[in-house]
Amino acid sequence: MKILNVDQIRALDQSTILHEPIAPINLMERAALAFVDWFIDHFPVTTPTKVFCGLGNNGGDGLSIARLLLERDYPVEVQVVRYAPRESDDFMHNHRRLKLVTENIKYIEFSRDIPALRHNEVVIDAILGTGLSRPTEGIVKETIAAINRAPASVVSVDIASGLYTDQPNGPNDVIIEPDYTVTFQLPKLAFMLPKNGRYVGNWQIVDIRLHKRYIDLAPTAYYFTQPSEAKLLLHKRDRYANKGTFGHALLYAGSFGKIGAAVLSARACLRSGVGLLTVQVPRCGYLVLQTAVPEAMCLADDHQTLLTGATEISSPAPTDFTTIGIGPGIGKAPETLAMLKKLLPTLKKPIVVDADALNLLSENRELLDQLPPNSILTPHPKEFERLTQKWDNDYQKLDILREFAKKYTIVVVLKGAYSAIATPDGDIHFNSTGNPGLSTGGTGDVLTGILTALVAQGYDSVEAAVLGVFAHGLAGDRVAEQRGPIGMVASDVIDALRWD
Ligand SMILES: NC(=O)C1=CN([C@@H]2O[C@H](COP(=O)(O)OP(=O)(O)OC[C@H]3O[C@@H](n4cnc5c(N)ncnc54)[C@H](OP(=O)(O)O)[C@@H]3O)[C@@H](O)[C@H]2O)[C@H](O)CC1
Ligand SMILES: [K+]
């Protein structure tokens, strides 16, 4: 699913009006109906509801929503925030239609006009939408602040009033903090950014049948992965395939006290369809691996407690493997750094790099140029900051992410909510699965195993990252459904992985 910028959203509106064709007021009515269908599924007809309307089309939506709810016997009061002397044409049209249904339309011009809001009420926020062009001020700001202070539930129409669609807000901007945002047709970039969480709430898309051709042709760098899109990436298995068909992966993982990371990444790799797996661990981990993951072959490093890359038996060369995953639990010992320095220049095929292998790269940035093209790095925000720089806001973070992936011709999975996958050609795919339960030790090791398995099976790196991150988050969602997010452990995620 594409994420369009505010100018494209406006052009999409116009394109729909022109090509369907449909009168603007009827498109507004369609949007209002889609919102109301959602609303009546979530709030009973007895719910006291206050609709706060601005003077533009977001406000026009609000007037239409108020009328439709009144026609469905909801107890609705309309509060028009009169922050400017003029209203949009569609606002006026809906204002006239609403007056046919109710006289109970109040106007907020001064602080004293702002109504009290009780805990059992629901506020529908239709003050400002994607037309926001400056920080809220005056009576708009006061009304928003009063709504935020009130105990009532809040549902924002299209986007929280005061939140920019695709640019950073200022630190002191006053923005609605909704419980829900019901947005039209496509997600907004603002919804994808961690710092905006409190200004988005639980967001839902309602389809208002905007011009599909415009969407299909609209250029964008931002995408939001849908289940159907992830499913399309899945390679079908040929009945005559054999284990050699699905690659032989090599994982470098573990150090004394962190052999569990090797176990988790190995098990996840096997649960993600790799044909054969070899895991190189420090000698102290050899018995653990062979016991905990009998399906994996194991190379014991010469060193008792950490990885040096040397093994006493004549093992296959790293380049003999289909792909390599490196990082889970490996630590940052000088000997392990030496191993990484020796390994990287010999590799040509994409590898998966995580955890302390990333931190070693951060401390030795000249190694970044030696990463094989299309390798996949999986930093969490702190690791990414060490790899690159500090950022002032989430939008700047996305620019840094995009430039970094392009500069080194790599795929970067910036983990978090929502995980952002940057590709070598400058796109960013936001993942749509996952939950806070995944913030538990070892889930990163699981993801490394998954991605290594997918690359070993022949998925190109972007496909592997988009599909692997999606499947990882979806497995976490299954676990959260069964047992709640608290108490989820990384092993549960492995057991909940599905590839059908
Ligand atoms: N395709 C769709 O998604 C559809 C969306 N619809 C709805 O339309 C709004 C966007 O409506 P628009 O009229 O463009 O803008 P807003 O309603 O968000 O804002 C109205 C005007 O308010 C002024 N403005 C901007 N910032 C502020 C501010 N901080 N304080 C006060 N006023 C502000 C600005 O006008 P100016 O001339 O003052 O700059 C805005 O134009 C979208 O969000 C949807 O709800 C359609 O209804 C259906 C299709
Ligand atoms: K709004």
Side-chain angles (χ1 to χ4, degrees):
M1 178 179 274
K2 286 185 177 178
I3 298 172
L4 301 184
N5 65 36
V6 68
D7 294 332
Q8 289 173 314
I9 291 169
R10 197 165 290 124
L12 173 56
D13 253 10
Q14 295 314 311
S15 182
T16 306
I17 289 163
L18 192 66
H19 289 92
E20 190 165 310
I22 181 171
I25 191 63
N26 294 336
L27 182 57
M28 183 174 278
E29 190 73 2
R30 186 191 287 176
L33 266 171
F35 178 95
V36 164
D37 284 348
W38 179 90
F39 189 85
I40 60 184
D41 272 353
H42 289 76
F43 297 99
V45 71
T46 52
T47 307
T49 305
K50 279 194 175 69
V51 185
F52 287 76
C53 298
L55 305 175
N57 286 352
N58 194 248
D61 286 348
L63 295 174
S64 186
I65 288 164
R67 189 187 79 251
L68 293 168
L69 287 175
L70 282 164
E71 289 167 355
R72 288 159 177 77
D73 299 327
Y74 277 77
V76 173
E77 184 183 303
V78 177
Q79 295 280 347
V80 175
V81 187
R82 200 196 289 279
Y83 53 75
R86 80 231 165 280
E87 294 89 358
S88 74
D89 296 344
D90 292 342
F91 174 94
M92 288 312 295
H93 180 100
N94 271 326
H95 190 262
R96 286 191 294 276
R97 289 182 75 178
L98 178 61
K99 290 192 78 156
L100 299 176
V101 178
T102 177
E103 283 303 323
N104 186 12
I105 306 175
K106 297 188 169 65
Y107 297 86
I108 299 173
E109 295 187 63
F110 308 101
S111 312
R112 63 174 180 275
D113 302 330
I114 300 174
L117 295 166
R118 279 174 291 284
H119 72 279
N120 65 329
E121 284 188 293
V122 171
V123 166
I124 294 178
D125 156 37
I127 302 169
L128 291 166
T130 54
L132 182 78
S133 58
R134 54 191 182 280
T136 55
E137 58 204 2
I139 191 60
V140 172
K141 183 175 177 179
E142 287 181 52
T143 303
I144 290 175
I147 291 170
N148 286 342
R149 281 195 302 273
S153 302
V154 180
V155 186
S156 282
V157 177
D158 203 27
I159 189 168
S161 296
L163 180 65
Y164 285 118
T165 303
D166 54 13
Q167 64 181 57
N169 274 86
N172 305 316
D173 287 1
V174 174
I175 304 166
I176 285 281
E177 297 173 24
D179 301 281
Y180 298 95
T181 295
V182 179
T183 201
F184 299 129
Q185 199 72 51
L186 299 170
K188 275 54 178 183
L189 184 56
F191 298 177
M192 304 293 135
L193 306 176
K195 294 274 187 321
N196 284 343
R198 61 191 283 210
Y199 305 124
V200 181
N202 178 346
W203 61 275
Q204 319 275 322
I205 293 175
V206 288
D207 183 352
I208 59 173
R209 305 194 304 284
L210 294 179
H211 194 215
K212 187 176 176 313
R213 184 156 170 70
Y214 179 91
I215 296 173
D216 291 346
L217 297 176
T220 183
Y222 298 115
Y223 299 84
F224 183 64
T225 308
Q226 293 299 286
S228 56
E229 294 162 335
K231 206 171 177 68
L232 278 177
L233 295 175
L234 204 51
H235 292 182
K236 297 282 173 284
R237 289 210 150 184
D238 178 339
R239 64 182 296 109
Y240 301 105
N242 60 62
K243 61 190 169 199
T245 318
F246 305 114
H248 186 170
L250 170 63
L251 279 172
Y252 287 99
S255 57
F256 188 75
K258 294 182 183 174
I259 298 299
V263 170
L264 289 168
S265 52
R267 286 184 56 220
C269 191
L270 288 158
R271 277 267 184 245
S272 302
V274 72
L276 290 169
L277 174 64
T278 296
V279 188
Q280 178 148 344
V281 291
R283 192 157 293 279
C284 66
Y286 181 75
L287 271 184
V288 174
L289 246 291
Q290 293 282 249
T291 310
V293 197
E295 299 89 349
M297 290 168 277
C298 190
L299 289 173
D301 197 285
D302 280 356
H303 198 288
Q304 185 60 22
T305 61
L306 50 84
L307 284 174
T308 65
T311 55
E312 64 191 17
I313 57 167
S314 59
S315 57
T319 47
D320 292 344
F321 292 90
T322 321
T323 194
I324 290 172
I326 182 167
I330 65 169
K332 297 195 295 172
E335 299 90 334
T336 306
L337 172 58
M339 174 187 82
L340 189 63
K341 285 184 172 178
K342 189 171 163 225
L343 184 64
L344 282 180
T346 67
L347 304 177
K348 298 282 176 277
K349 293 179 284 185
I351 62 174
V352 179
V353 187
D354 183 35
D356 275 332
L358 292 171
N359 292 325
L360 288 172
L361 290 177
S362 305
E363 293 162 10
N364 304 272
R365 290 195 184 182
E366 72 285 356
L367 296 177
L368 288 169
D369 288 312
Q370 296 178 17
L371 286 168
N374 300 306
S375 291
I376 303 175
L377 274 53
T378 57
H380 57 55
K382 201 68 200 144
E383 289 165 339
F384 186 61
E385 184 186 290
R386 287 189 210 113
L387 270 173
T388 54
Q389 64 181 81
K390 284 190 179 305
W391 47 82
D392 296 332
N393 60 65
D394 285 332
Y395 287 90
Q396 191 192 16
K397 176 188 71 182
L398 292 181
D399 291 340
I400 296 166
L401 179 66
R402 174 186 297 105
E403 290 318 308
F404 185 72
K406 283 165 70 175
K407 177 178 179 184
Y408 294 107
T409 321
I410 51 177
V411 175
V412 184
V413 177
L414 180 53
K415 295 181 285 195
Y418 300 79
S419 291
I421 298 161
T423 71
D425 50 16
D427 287 341
I428 294 185
H429 296 262
F430 293 97
N431 183 46
S432 55
T433 60
N435 62 76
L438 284 163
S439 309
T440 177
T443 51
D445 305 325
V446 170
L447 181 61
T448 301
I450 292 170
L451 298 178
T452 303
L454 294 179
V455 175
Q457 291 169 76
Y459 286 87
D460 79 44
S461 299
V462 173
E463 284 179 343
V466 172
L467 176 61
V469 170
F470 184 89
H472 178 263
L474 190 59
D477 292 341
R478 285 192 196 101
V479 177
E481 256 166 57
Q482 288 154 13
R483 57 186 310 159
I486 297 171
M488 181 188 303
V489 293
S491 301
D492 300 330
V493 180
I494 299 172
D495 297 342
L497 279 171
R498 291 186 59 89
W499 300 96
D500 51 10

